[in-house]
Amino acid sequence: MRRLAALALVLPLAACGGDDEERTLTVLAAASLSETFTELAAVFEEEHPGVEVEVVLGSSTTLAEQAVDGAPGDVLATADETSMALAEDGNALAQAADAFASNRITLVTPPDNPAGLQSWADLDDPGVDYVVCAATAPCGAVAAAALTEEGVTAAPASEEVDVKAVLARVVQGEADAGLVYRTDAVAVDDDVEQIPVTDEDASAYATTYFIAPLAGDDAERADLAAEFVTLVRSDEALEIFTEAGFGGIVRE
């Protein structure tokens, strides 16, 4: 069965067997890609009998830094271009990265909206606790830009390691609100309530995802990594991303 691994201090080692029967393809992916990459991993495994796709989730910046440091991995997918640039500058990529989807930040509350938030401006009200991603994570950078766009000046109650951690705090009622990606709100459906932004078309709320195969000495694994990148940028994947709430990227 396919394994979905959470980010840990030491990433799991990929299998090193001599043929497809023993191959594991390790994909390092932004936490916000959890649901879509799990689905794409199943598609890839069906098309490649004997190959297991292991999706390792975490903050894009952390994953890129670990790739540069030599942590095991065959593909890197980040939630912004800046994180991917870290991997590129560290010579961790086998080839140039490609964009494959976009996302937008949104403000969510628990379904009962205990703080009675009606707009982003209400985040400045005394006693309102909201949470965001750490500034080093792509979701944190987009959240900061969105808060500036909305004119919010109150500091967040906490900064979480990634967007799934922010979402969990809100769903569990541990925060009055949180800034997450639109896709994360879609994934939990009725477990949160969304507060509309002032200008849906403003670029401050958006981010673009990038993917690239990682450098390595195993030619067969490199071929599999390239094929996984091709799948992620395919029309089939685009349908999956669109259904999950991602924006599409025009294919050249």
Side-chain angles (χ1 to χ4, degrees):
M1 295 178 63
R2 181 175 65 262
R3 292 169 291 170
L4 182 62
L7 177 65
L9 292 178
V10 179
L11 295 176
L13 290 172
C16 54
D19 54 44
D20 271 3
E21 293 299 325
E22 303 173 358
R23 289 294 183 183
T24 296
L25 187 73
T26 302
V27 178
L28 314 183
S32 52
L33 294 168
S34 172
E35 294 82 9
T36 52
F37 267 42
T38 297
E39 188 170 350
L40 288 171
V43 172
F44 192 84
E45 289 175 352
E46 185 175 351
E47 295 175 349
H48 298 77
V51 176
E52 177 185 17
V53 179
E54 184 168 17
V55 182
V56 179
L57 302 168
S59 166
S60 297
T61 303
T62 300
L63 293 175
E65 290 173 344
Q66 292 195 345
V68 171
D69 290 339
D74 302 301
V75 177
L76 175 64
T78 64
D80 69 347
E81 189 171 13
T82 300
S83 298
M84 186 61 75
L86 290 175
E88 182 179 13
D89 293 343
N91 298 315
L93 305 185
Q95 63 186 51
D98 291 308
F100 66 91
S102 62
N103 213 340
R104 299 185 71 80
I105 208 77
T106 187
L107 178 65
V108 296
T109 73
D112 57 347
N113 193 359
L117 302 182
Q118 299 298 316
S119 70
W120 286 56
D122 293 336
L123 294 177
D124 279 330
D125 290 349
V128 173
D129 292 332
Y130 75 94
V131 294
V132 298
C133 294
T136 54
C139 55
V142 181
L147 289 167
T148 298
E149 183 79 12
E150 294 287 343
V152 176
T153 58
S158 70
E159 295 183 355
E160 306 298 325
V161 63
D162 59 39
V163 72
K164 293 300 185 184
V166 173
L167 185 66
R169 291 286 305 276
V170 176
V171 170
Q172 294 166 11
E174 298 174 356
D176 295 322
L179 273 70
V180 301
Y181 291 125
R182 179 169 57 190
T183 53
D184 297 295
V186 170
V188 296
D189 197 16
D190 294 336
D191 288 337
V192 295
E193 177 181 328
Q194 293 191 60
I195 306 296
V197 300
T198 300
D199 181 2
E200 178 64 28
D201 295 326
S203 61
Y205 308 104
T207 190
T208 299
Y209 288 68
F210 286 81
I211 190 168
L214 292 167
D217 298 327
D218 189 319
E220 186 172 357
R221 183 173 286 121
D223 289 342
L224 288 172
E227 290 177 26
F228 188 83
V229 171
T230 298
L231 171 63
V232 170
R233 300 192 75 248
S234 69
D235 289 340
E236 180 179 7
L238 183 58
E239 291 184 8
I240 293 173
F241 290 127
T242 302
E243 184 176 352
F246 287 88
I249 298 297
V250 176
R251 312 301 184 199
E252 295 181 357

mmCIF file of all heavy atoms in Angstrom, residues 5-56:
data_model
loop_
_atom_site.group_PDB
_atom_site.id
_atom_site.type_symbol
_atom_site.label_atom_id
_atom_site.label_comp_id
_atom_site.label_asym_id
_atom_site.label_seq_id
_atom_site.Cartn_x
_atom_site.Cartn_y
_atom_site.Cartn_z
ATOM 1 N N ALA A 5 3.844 9.892 4.304
ATOM 2 C CA ALA A 5 4.704 10.158 5.452
ATOM 3 C C ALA A 5 4.660 11.611 5.841
ATOM 4 O O ALA A 5 4.645 12.492 5.012
ATOM 5 C CB ALA A 5 6.147 9.772 5.102
ATOM 6 N N ALA A 6 4.613 11.891 7.134
ATOM 7 C CA ALA A 6 4.723 13.257 7.633
ATOM 8 C C ALA A 6 6.192 13.621 7.667
ATOM 9 O O ALA A 6 7.080 12.778 7.771
ATOM 10 C CB ALA A 6 4.124 13.355 9.031
ATOM 11 N N LEU A 7 6.478 14.919 7.582
ATOM 12 C CA LEU A 7 7.846 15.397 7.618
ATOM 13 C C LEU A 7 8.468 15.064 8.953
ATOM 14 O O LEU A 7 7.912 15.319 10.003
ATOM 15 C CB LEU A 7 7.869 16.919 7.392
ATOM 16 C CG LEU A 7 9.252 17.577 7.482
ATOM 17 C CD1 LEU A 7 10.137 17.058 6.359
ATOM 18 C CD2 LEU A 7 9.112 19.079 7.389
ATOM 19 N N ALA A 8 9.667 14.514 8.935
ATOM 20 C CA ALA A 8 10.398 14.204 10.158
ATOM 21 C C ALA A 8 11.798 14.762 10.039
ATOM 22 O O ALA A 8 12.193 15.287 8.997
ATOM 23 C CB ALA A 8 10.442 12.687 10.373
ATOM 24 N N LEU A 9 12.557 14.673 11.134
ATOM 25 C CA LEU A 9 13.912 15.207 11.107
ATOM 26 C C LEU A 9 14.766 14.458 10.099
ATOM 27 O O LEU A 9 15.644 15.024 9.469
ATOM 28 C CB LEU A 9 14.541 15.111 12.501
ATOM 29 C CG LEU A 9 13.917 16.016 13.562
ATOM 30 C CD1 LEU A 9 14.605 15.793 14.904
ATOM 31 C CD2 LEU A 9 14.045 17.472 13.152
ATOM 32 N N VAL A 10 14.525 13.180 9.969
ATOM 33 C CA VAL A 10 15.252 12.380 8.994
ATOM 34 C C VAL A 10 14.239 11.805 8.022
ATOM 35 O O VAL A 10 13.327 11.096 8.419
ATOM 36 C CB VAL A 10 16.027 11.231 9.669
ATOM 37 C CG1 VAL A 10 16.757 10.411 8.615
ATOM 38 C CG2 VAL A 10 17.006 11.797 10.690
ATOM 39 N N LEU A 11 14.403 12.103 6.745
ATOM 40 C CA LEU A 11 13.461 11.617 5.754
ATOM 41 C C LEU A 11 13.686 10.133 5.503
ATOM 42 O O LEU A 11 14.811 9.634 5.599
ATOM 43 C CB LEU A 11 13.645 12.393 4.440
ATOM 44 C CG LEU A 11 13.320 13.876 4.530
ATOM 45 C CD1 LEU A 11 13.641 14.534 3.195
ATOM 46 C CD2 LEU A 11 11.866 14.088 4.885
ATOM 47 N N PRO A 12 12.642 9.403 5.176
ATOM 48 C CA PRO A 12 12.785 7.970 4.960
ATOM 49 C C PRO A 12 13.627 7.674 3.737
ATOM 50 O O PRO A 12 13.586 8.386 2.744
ATOM 51 C CB PRO A 12 11.336 7.502 4.749
ATOM 52 C CG PRO A 12 10.611 8.712 4.298
ATOM 53 C CD PRO A 12 11.261 9.873 5.003
ATOM 54 N N LEU A 13 14.400 6.627 3.834
ATOM 55 C CA LEU A 13 15.258 6.227 2.728
ATOM 56 C C LEU A 13 14.434 5.560 1.643
ATOM 57 O O LEU A 13 13.550 4.755 1.923
ATOM 58 C CB LEU A 13 16.330 5.252 3.216
ATOM 59 C CG LEU A 13 17.419 5.838 4.123
ATOM 60 C CD1 LEU A 13 18.277 4.702 4.670
ATOM 61 C CD2 LEU A 13 18.265 6.826 3.364
ATOM 62 N N ALA A 14 14.737 5.899 0.398
ATOM 63 C CA ALA A 14 14.072 5.233 -0.725
ATOM 64 C C ALA A 14 14.662 3.848 -0.902
ATOM 65 O O ALA A 14 15.834 3.608 -0.612
ATOM 66 C CB ALA A 14 14.269 6.058 -2.000
ATOM 67 N N ALA A 15 13.848 2.942 -1.378
ATOM 68 C CA ALA A 15 14.338 1.589 -1.621
ATOM 69 C C ALA A 15 15.386 1.613 -2.706
ATOM 70 O O ALA A 15 15.386 2.471 -3.583
ATOM 71 C CB ALA A 15 13.167 0.688 -2.023
ATOM 72 N N CYS A 16 16.302 0.668 -2.662
ATOM 73 C CA CYS A 16 17.417 0.699 -3.613
ATOM 74 C C CYS A 16 17.556 -0.639 -4.329
ATOM 75 O O CYS A 16 18.660 -1.114 -4.570
ATOM 76 C CB CYS A 16 18.718 1.094 -2.914
ATOM 77 S SG CYS A 16 19.125 0.068 -1.485
ATOM 78 N N GLY A 17 16.464 -1.260 -4.620
ATOM 79 C CA GLY A 17 16.498 -2.533 -5.325
ATOM 80 C C GLY A 17 16.941 -2.357 -6.762
ATOM 81 O O GLY A 17 17.042 -1.246 -7.277
ATOM 82 N N GLY A 18 17.170 -3.453 -7.441
ATOM 83 C CA GLY A 18 17.738 -3.371 -8.765
ATOM 84 C C GLY A 18 16.727 -3.337 -9.884
ATOM 85 O O GLY A 18 17.107 -3.265 -11.035
ATOM 86 N N ASP A 19 15.424 -3.381 -9.606
ATOM 87 C CA ASP A 19 14.451 -3.332 -10.687
ATOM 88 C C ASP A 19 13.175 -2.693 -10.173
ATOM 89 O O ASP A 19 13.035 -2.368 -9.008
ATOM 90 C CB ASP A 19 14.184 -4.731 -11.258
ATOM 91 C CG ASP A 19 13.772 -5.707 -10.164
ATOM 92 O OD1 ASP A 19 12.942 -5.339 -9.314
ATOM 93 O OD2 ASP A 19 14.288 -6.839 -10.183
ATOM 94 N N ASP A 20 12.195 -2.504 -11.087
ATOM 95 C CA ASP A 20 10.951 -1.837 -10.737
ATOM 96 C C ASP A 20 10.201 -2.553 -9.627
ATOM 97 O O ASP A 20 9.421 -1.956 -8.905
ATOM 98 C CB ASP A 20 10.047 -1.721 -11.974
ATOM 99 C CG ASP A 20 10.315 -0.436 -12.734
ATOM 100 O OD1 ASP A 20 11.233 0.292 -12.320
ATOM 101 O OD2 ASP A 20 9.616 -0.197 -13.733
ATOM 102 N N GLU A 21 10.445 -3.882 -9.510
ATOM 103 C CA GLU A 21 9.727 -4.644 -8.504
ATOM 104 C C GLU A 21 10.035 -4.139 -7.097
ATOM 105 O O GLU A 21 9.275 -4.359 -6.172
ATOM 106 C CB GLU A 21 10.100 -6.132 -8.621
ATOM 107 C CG GLU A 21 9.635 -6.797 -9.903
ATOM 108 C CD GLU A 21 8.127 -6.781 -10.054
ATOM 109 O OE1 GLU A 21 7.433 -6.893 -9.024
ATOM 110 O OE2 GLU A 21 7.646 -6.654 -11.185
ATOM 111 N N GLU A 22 11.153 -3.471 -6.919
ATOM 112 C CA GLU A 22 11.577 -3.043 -5.593
ATOM 113 C C GLU A 22 11.756 -1.527 -5.517
ATOM 114 O O GLU A 22 12.413 -1.035 -4.603
ATOM 115 C CB GLU A 22 12.900 -3.742 -5.233
ATOM 116 C CG GLU A 22 12.817 -5.265 -5.280
ATOM 117 C CD GLU A 22 14.167 -5.921 -5.098
ATOM 118 O OE1 GLU A 22 15.179 -5.205 -4.967
ATOM 119 O OE2 GLU A 22 14.215 -7.150 -5.100
ATOM 120 N N ARG A 23 11.177 -0.788 -6.440
ATOM 121 C CA ARG A 23 11.408 0.648 -6.507
ATOM 122 C C ARG A 23 10.441 1.442 -5.632
ATOM 123 O O ARG A 23 9.237 1.183 -5.614
ATOM 124 C CB ARG A 23 11.287 1.150 -7.953
ATOM 125 C CG ARG A 23 12.429 0.731 -8.854
ATOM 126 C CD ARG A 23 13.720 1.364 -8.431
ATOM 127 N NE ARG A 23 14.803 1.025 -9.329
ATOM 128 C CZ ARG A 23 16.064 1.406 -9.156
ATOM 129 N NH1 ARG A 23 16.386 2.138 -8.107
ATOM 130 N NH2 ARG A 23 16.993 1.056 -10.002
ATOM 131 N N THR A 24 10.987 2.423 -4.920
ATOM 132 C CA THR A 24 10.185 3.404 -4.203
ATOM 133 C C THR A 24 10.587 4.782 -4.708
ATOM 134 O O THR A 24 11.768 5.128 -4.718
ATOM 135 C CB THR A 24 10.422 3.333 -2.683
ATOM 136 O OG1 THR A 24 9.995 2.078 -2.192
ATOM 137 C CG2 THR A 24 9.646 4.432 -1.961
ATOM 138 N N LEU A 25 9.622 5.544 -5.154
ATOM 139 C CA LEU A 25 9.855 6.904 -5.616
ATOM 140 C C LEU A 25 9.466 7.851 -4.478
ATOM 141 O O LEU A 25 8.312 7.867 -4.044
ATOM 142 C CB LEU A 25 9.019 7.200 -6.867
ATOM 143 C CG LEU A 25 9.305 8.541 -7.550
ATOM 144 C CD1 LEU A 25 10.654 8.487 -8.266
ATOM 145 C CD2 LEU A 25 8.195 8.889 -8.536
ATOM 146 N N THR A 26 10.416 8.619 -3.990
ATOM 147 C CA THR A 26 10.165 9.523 -2.867
ATOM 148 C C THR A 26 9.907 10.930 -3.382
ATOM 149 O O THR A 26 10.761 11.525 -4.042
ATOM 150 C CB THR A 26 11.361 9.533 -1.894
ATOM 151 O OG1 THR A 26 11.595 8.197 -1.435
ATOM 152 C CG2 THR A 26 11.071 10.426 -0.698
ATOM 153 N N VAL A 27 8.732 11.445 -3.058
ATOM 154 C CA VAL A 27 8.313 12.767 -3.518
ATOM 155 C C VAL A 27 8.213 13.697 -2.318
ATOM 156 O O VAL A 27 7.424 13.456 -1.403
ATOM 157 C CB VAL A 27 6.948 12.694 -4.248
ATOM 158 C CG1 VAL A 27 6.492 14.091 -4.670
ATOM 159 C CG2 VAL A 27 7.051 11.771 -5.454
ATOM 160 N N LEU A 28 9.024 14.740 -2.302
ATOM 161 C CA LEU A 28 8.989 15.748 -1.244
ATOM 162 C C LEU A 28 8.015 16.834 -1.683
ATOM 163 O O LEU A 28 8.220 17.479 -2.714
ATOM 164 C CB LEU A 28 10.381 16.347 -1.011
ATOM 165 C CG LEU A 28 11.552 15.359 -0.920
ATOM 166 C CD1 LEU A 28 12.849 16.109 -0.624
ATOM 167 C CD2 LEU A 28 11.289 14.295 0.123
ATOM 168 N N ALA A 29 6.952 17.056 -0.922
ATOM 169 C CA ALA A 29 5.886 17.942 -1.380
ATOM 170 C C ALA A 29 5.385 18.860 -0.280
ATOM 171 O O ALA A 29 5.331 18.479 0.899
ATOM 172 C CB ALA A 29 4.714 17.116 -1.922
ATOM 173 N N ALA A 30 5.018 20.066 -0.675
ATOM 174 C CA ALA A 30 4.429 21.034 0.240
ATOM 175 C C ALA A 30 3.209 20.426 0.913
ATOM 176 O O ALA A 30 2.445 19.678 0.302
ATOM 177 C CB ALA A 30 4.033 22.296 -0.520
ATOM 178 N N ALA A 31 3.009 20.766 2.189
ATOM 179 C CA ALA A 31 1.919 20.170 2.970
ATOM 180 C C ALA A 31 0.560 20.384 2.320
ATOM 181 O O ALA A 31 -0.324 19.526 2.417
ATOM 182 C CB ALA A 31 1.923 20.753 4.382
ATOM 183 N N SER A 32 0.380 21.503 1.640
ATOM 184 C CA SER A 32 -0.914 21.802 1.019
ATOM 185 C C SER A 32 -1.226 20.895 -0.165
ATOM 186 O O SER A 32 -2.340 20.918 -0.688
ATOM 187 C CB SER A 32 -0.957 23.265 0.568
ATOM 188 O OG SER A 32 0.176 23.588 -0.226
ATOM 189 N N LEU A 33 -0.245 20.088 -0.588
ATOM 190 C CA LEU A 33 -0.463 19.154 -1.694
ATOM 191 C C LEU A 33 -0.855 17.760 -1.203
ATOM 192 O O LEU A 33 -0.941 16.821 -1.999
ATOM 193 C CB LEU A 33 0.813 19.046 -2.542
ATOM 194 C CG LEU A 33 1.221 20.310 -3.293
ATOM 195 C CD1 LEU A 33 2.629 20.165 -3.849
ATOM 196 C CD2 LEU A 33 0.230 20.628 -4.407
ATOM 197 N N SER A 34 -1.105 17.629 0.079
ATOM 198 C CA SER A 34 -1.372 16.332 0.689
ATOM 199 C C SER A 34 -2.418 15.516 -0.069
ATOM 200 O O SER A 34 -2.150 14.387 -0.523
ATOM 201 C CB SER A 34 -1.829 16.526 2.139
ATOM 202 O OG SER A 34 -2.271 15.326 2.703
ATOM 203 N N GLU A 35 -3.603 16.051 -0.226
ATOM 204 C CA GLU A 35 -4.698 15.291 -0.827
ATOM 205 C C GLU A 35 -4.468 15.024 -2.317
ATOM 206 O O GLU A 35 -4.678 13.899 -2.792
ATOM 207 C CB GLU A 35 -6.026 16.025 -0.642
ATOM 208 C CG GLU A 35 -6.487 16.128 0.806
ATOM 209 C CD GLU A 35 -5.830 17.268 1.575
ATOM 210 O OE1 GLU A 35 -5.134 18.094 0.949
ATOM 211 O OE2 GLU A 35 -6.007 17.327 2.808
ATOM 212 N N THR A 36 -4.038 16.046 -3.053
ATOM 213 C CA THR A 36 -3.875 15.885 -4.501
ATOM 214 C C THR A 36 -2.715 14.957 -4.839
ATOM 215 O O THR A 36 -2.824 14.132 -5.752
ATOM 216 C CB THR A 36 -3.662 17.245 -5.178
ATOM 217 O OG1 THR A 36 -2.609 17.955 -4.517
ATOM 218 C CG2 THR A 36 -4.937 18.065 -5.148
ATOM 219 N N PHE A 37 -1.614 15.060 -4.117
ATOM 220 C CA PHE A 37 -0.474 14.196 -4.430
ATOM 221 C C PHE A 37 -0.716 12.760 -3.973
ATOM 222 O O PHE A 37 -0.142 11.835 -4.551
ATOM 223 C CB PHE A 37 0.809 14.767 -3.815
ATOM 224 C CG PHE A 37 1.569 15.659 -4.767
ATOM 225 C CD1 PHE A 37 0.900 16.578 -5.566
ATOM 226 C CD2 PHE A 37 2.947 15.578 -4.874
ATOM 227 C CE1 PHE A 37 1.591 17.390 -6.455
ATOM 228 C CE2 PHE A 37 3.647 16.382 -5.758
ATOM 229 C CZ PHE A 37 2.976 17.290 -6.555
ATOM 230 N N THR A 38 -1.531 12.565 -2.954
ATOM 231 C CA THR A 38 -1.919 11.210 -2.581
ATOM 232 C C THR A 38 -2.688 10.567 -3.733
ATOM 233 O O THR A 38 -2.468 9.396 -4.083
ATOM 234 C CB THR A 38 -2.781 11.220 -1.310
ATOM 235 O OG1 THR A 38 -2.012 11.731 -0.225
ATOM 236 C CG2 THR A 38 -3.261 9.821 -0.967
ATOM 237 N N GLU A 39 -3.584 11.334 -4.335
ATOM 238 C CA GLU A 39 -4.360 10.831 -5.470
ATOM 239 C C GLU A 39 -3.474 10.587 -6.680
ATOM 240 O O GLU A 39 -3.602 9.565 -7.369
ATOM 241 C CB GLU A 39 -5.471 11.823 -5.814
ATOM 242 C CG GLU A 39 -6.449 11.317 -6.848
ATOM 243 C CD GLU A 39 -7.670 12.202 -7.002
ATOM 244 O OE1 GLU A 39 -7.859 13.129 -6.175
ATOM 245 O OE2 GLU A 39 -8.448 11.976 -7.959
ATOM 246 N N LEU A 40 -2.544 11.510 -6.944
ATOM 247 C CA LEU A 40 -1.647 11.352 -8.089
ATOM 248 C C LEU A 40 -0.681 10.188 -7.873
ATOM 249 O O LEU A 40 -0.301 9.512 -8.835
ATOM 250 C CB LEU A 40 -0.874 12.645 -8.339
ATOM 251 C CG LEU A 40 -1.708 13.783 -8.925
ATOM 252 C CD1 LEU A 40 -0.912 15.081 -8.937
ATOM 253 C CD2 LEU A 40 -2.152 13.436 -10.339
ATOM 254 N N ALA A 41 -0.283 9.965 -6.629
ATOM 255 C CA ALA A 41 0.582 8.822 -6.328
ATOM 256 C C ALA A 41 -0.114 7.521 -6.697
ATOM 257 O O ALA A 41 0.503 6.599 -7.250
ATOM 258 C CB ALA A 41 0.968 8.826 -4.855
ATOM 259 N N ALA A 42 -1.415 7.434 -6.405
ATOM 260 C CA ALA A 42 -2.187 6.234 -6.751
ATOM 261 C C ALA A 42 -2.253 6.053 -8.258
ATOM 262 O O ALA A 42 -2.132 4.930 -8.771
ATOM 263 C CB ALA A 42 -3.585 6.329 -6.161
ATOM 264 N N VAL A 43 -2.434 7.151 -8.980
ATOM 265 C CA VAL A 43 -2.476 7.083 -10.454
ATOM 266 C C VAL A 43 -1.138 6.585 -10.987
ATOM 267 O O VAL A 43 -1.076 5.712 -11.860
ATOM 268 C CB VAL A 43 -2.804 8.471 -11.046
ATOM 269 C CG1 VAL A 43 -2.649 8.449 -12.565
ATOM 270 C CG2 VAL A 43 -4.207 8.906 -10.658
ATOM 271 N N PHE A 44 -0.052 7.133 -10.446
ATOM 272 C CA PHE A 44 1.288 6.770 -10.919
ATOM 273 C C PHE A 44 1.583 5.302 -10.634
ATOM 274 O O PHE A 44 2.136 4.593 -11.483
ATOM 275 C CB PHE A 44 2.331 7.655 -10.247
ATOM 276 C CG PHE A 44 3.695 7.574 -10.862
ATOM 277 C CD1 PHE A 44 4.028 8.332 -11.973
ATOM 278 C CD2 PHE A 44 4.673 6.732 -10.326
ATOM 279 C CE1 PHE A 44 5.294 8.259 -12.550
ATOM 280 C CE2 PHE A 44 5.937 6.649 -10.891
ATOM 281 C CZ PHE A 44 6.245 7.415 -12.003
ATOM 282 N N GLU A 45 1.214 4.844 -9.437
ATOM 283 C CA GLU A 45 1.453 3.443 -9.089
ATOM 284 C C GLU A 45 0.674 2.495 -9.997
ATOM 285 O O GLU A 45 1.166 1.429 -10.369
ATOM 286 C CB GLU A 45 1.085 3.211 -7.627
ATOM 287 C CG GLU A 45 2.057 3.860 -6.648
ATOM 288 C CD GLU A 45 1.618 3.737 -5.208
ATOM 289 O OE1 GLU A 45 0.472 3.282 -4.968
ATOM 290 O OE2 GLU A 45 2.413 4.081 -4.329
ATOM 291 N N GLU A 46 -0.537 2.900 -10.359
ATOM 292 C CA GLU A 46 -1.339 2.068 -11.259
ATOM 293 C C GLU A 46 -0.691 1.967 -12.627
ATOM 294 O O GLU A 46 -0.747 0.922 -13.282
ATOM 295 C CB GLU A 46 -2.745 2.642 -11.371
ATOM 296 C CG GLU A 46 -3.700 1.785 -12.187
ATOM 297 C CD GLU A 46 -5.116 2.318 -12.192
ATOM 298 O OE1 GLU A 46 -5.409 3.269 -11.426
ATOM 299 O OE2 GLU A 46 -5.939 1.792 -12.961
ATOM 300 N N GLU A 47 -0.069 3.067 -13.054
ATOM 301 C CA GLU A 47 0.579 3.091 -14.366
ATOM 302 C C GLU A 47 1.974 2.467 -14.342
ATOM 303 O O GLU A 47 2.540 2.187 -15.400
ATOM 304 C CB GLU A 47 0.678 4.538 -14.860
ATOM 305 C CG GLU A 47 -0.677 5.194 -15.125
ATOM 306 C CD GLU A 47 -0.562 6.649 -15.497
ATOM 307 O OE1 GLU A 47 0.562 7.211 -15.349
ATOM 308 O OE2 GLU A 47 -1.563 7.242 -15.928
ATOM 309 N N HIS A 48 2.536 2.276 -13.145
ATOM 310 C CA HIS A 48 3.882 1.719 -12.999
ATOM 311 C C HIS A 48 3.845 0.577 -11.981
ATOM 312 O O HIS A 48 4.227 0.762 -10.814
ATOM 313 C CB HIS A 48 4.878 2.795 -12.548
ATOM 314 C CG HIS A 48 5.033 3.926 -13.512
ATOM 315 N ND1 HIS A 48 4.100 4.931 -13.630
ATOM 316 C CD2 HIS A 48 6.019 4.205 -14.412
ATOM 317 C CE1 HIS A 48 4.499 5.785 -14.557
ATOM 318 N NE2 HIS A 48 5.650 5.371 -15.043
ATOM 319 N N PRO A 49 3.377 -0.601 -12.381
ATOM 320 C CA PRO A 49 3.295 -1.736 -11.454
ATOM 321 C C PRO A 49 4.646 -2.013 -10.796
ATOM 322 O O PRO A 49 5.685 -2.004 -11.454
ATOM 323 C CB PRO A 49 2.876 -2.890 -12.366
ATOM 324 C CG PRO A 49 2.173 -2.226 -13.513
ATOM 325 C CD PRO A 49 2.895 -0.931 -13.728
ATOM 326 N N GLY A 50 4.609 -2.228 -9.480
ATOM 327 C CA GLY A 50 5.834 -2.515 -8.751
ATOM 328 C C GLY A 50 6.529 -1.293 -8.202
ATOM 329 O O GLY A 50 7.493 -1.413 -7.453
ATOM 330 N N VAL A 51 6.051 -0.108 -8.566
ATOM 331 C CA VAL A 51 6.642 1.130 -8.056
ATOM 332 C C VAL A 51 5.739 1.696 -6.964
ATOM 333 O O VAL A 51 4.533 1.832 -7.145
ATOM 334 C CB VAL A 51 6.821 2.175 -9.183
ATOM 335 C CG1 VAL A 51 7.359 3.485 -8.604
ATOM 336 C CG2 VAL A 51 7.775 1.635 -10.238
ATOM 337 N N GLU A 52 6.338 2.028 -5.843
ATOM 338 C CA GLU A 52 5.615 2.626 -4.729
ATOM 339 C C GLU A 52 6.010 4.101 -4.623
ATOM 340 O O GLU A 52 7.196 4.432 -4.643
ATOM 341 C CB GLU A 52 5.962 1.908 -3.422
ATOM 342 C CG GLU A 52 5.306 2.513 -2.201
ATOM 343 C CD GLU A 52 5.767 1.834 -0.923
ATOM 344 O OE1 GLU A 52 6.803 1.143 -0.961
ATOM 345 O OE2 GLU A 52 5.099 2.005 0.112
ATOM 346 N N VAL A 53 5.027 4.982 -4.542
ATOM 347 C CA VAL A 53 5.288 6.405 -4.389
ATOM 348 C C VAL A 53 5.113 6.783 -2.919
ATOM 349 O O VAL A 53 4.035 6.586 -2.354
ATOM 350 C CB VAL A 53 4.349 7.264 -5.261
ATOM 351 C CG1 VAL A 53 4.637 8.755 -5.045
ATOM 352 C CG2 VAL A 53 4.518 6.898 -6.732
ATOM 353 N N GLU A 54 6.162 7.287 -2.321
ATOM 354 C CA GLU A 54 6.112 7.732 -0.933
ATOM 355 C C GLU A 54 6.124 9.262 -0.919
ATOM 356 O O GLU A 54 7.084 9.887 -1.362
ATOM 357 C CB GLU A 54 7.292 7.180 -0.144
ATOM 358 C CG GLU A 54 7.229 7.527 1.336
ATOM 359 C CD GLU A 54 8.238 6.744 2.146
ATOM 360 O OE1 GLU A 54 9.188 6.194 1.556
ATOM 361 O OE2 GLU A 54 8.082 6.692 3.370
ATOM 362 N N VAL A 55 5.044 9.864 -0.441
ATOM 363 C CA VAL A 55 4.924 11.326 -0.406
ATOM 364 C C VAL A 55 5.330 11.818 0.979
ATOM 365 O O VAL A 55 4.705 11.473 1.979
ATOM 366 C CB VAL A 55 3.486 11.771 -0.738
ATOM 367 C CG1 VAL A 55 3.400 13.295 -0.747
ATOM 368 C CG2 VAL A 55 3.054 11.216 -2.096
ATOM 369 N N VAL A 56 6.369 12.628 1.022
ATOM 370 C CA VAL A 56 6.866 13.197 2.267
ATOM 371 C C VAL A 56 6.435 14.659 2.314
ATOM 372 O O VAL A 56 6.833 15.461 1.468
ATOM 373 C CB VAL A 56 8.407 13.094 2.361
ATOM 374 C CG1 VAL A 56 8.902 13.712 3.669
ATOM 375 C CG2 VAL A 56 8.849 11.646 2.256
#
